[in-house]
Amino acid sequence: MKKRVLFICVHNSARSQMAEAWLNHTCDELFEAQSAGLEPGTLNPLAVKVMAEAGIDISNKKTQAVFDVFKSGQLFAYVITVCDETSAEKCPIFPGVTKRLHWSFPDPSTLVGSREHKLVEVRKIRDEIRDKIQAWCEEVCPSPARAPTWT
């Protein structure tokens, strides 16, 4: 049976969406990931672009509220917040019996500069999230036969 994982951040527009996609792409035989936010916004087009560059399509994903996920009665083995340290106080808490983890990643919505500069920075965030997912999968489910591969 797959363990359910919920990634949460403030807007559910980039970091939590990328983390959900990476975990579902990498460890879908072991985990089923979702994402949600405190104040769900719209999907960040830069996140969509950089994930497509990595071969993962998140363009049809919808943002959702943490409270709606809570009201649905779903249970999660892990709840992982992906807010950066400067906005950690706004990062939502999901109640229930679960293992809670916090992974700090910069917020793509706060980036300034040209579109090209923002893309470079969002690619870095994407790769940081991918690397963290890979390391976590290896830690939680150590198995030499199950090493994730990246495309």
Side-chain angles (χ1 to χ4, degrees), residues 7-17 35-44 61-71 90 92 109:
F7 291 100
I8 56 178
C9 65
V10 178
H11 300 291
N12 188 222
S13 63
R15 294 167 292 183
S16 55
Q17 293 279 355
S35 63
L38 183 62
E39 303 162 357
T42 57
L43 199 54
N44 184 319
K61 292 289 298 168
K62 304 289 184 220
T63 61
Q64 65 178 341
V66 171
F67 189 63
D68 291 338
V69 175
F70 173 71
K71 288 190 309 186
K90 292 189 226 173
S109 71

Side-chain angles (χ1 to χ4, degrees), residues 86-122:
T86 57
S87 60
E89 72 279 353
K90 292 189 226 173
C91 210
I93 295 173
F94 193 84
V97 178
T98 185
K99 290 184 182 176
R100 290 178 180 82
L101 302 171
H102 176 72
W103 300 344
S104 178
F105 298 107
D107 184 354
S109 71
T110 64
L111 295 173
V112 295
S114 69
R115 176 176 166 78
E116 280 309 310
H117 172 74
K118 290 178 184 179
L119 277 170
V120 167
E121 295 304 311
V122 176

Side-chain angles (χ1 to χ4, degrees), residues 64-81:
Q64 65 178 341
V66 171
F67 189 63
D68 291 338
V69 175
F70 173 71
K71 288 190 309 186
S72 75
Q74 296 178 70
L75 301 175
F76 296 90
Y78 296 92
V79 172
I80 303 172
T81 55

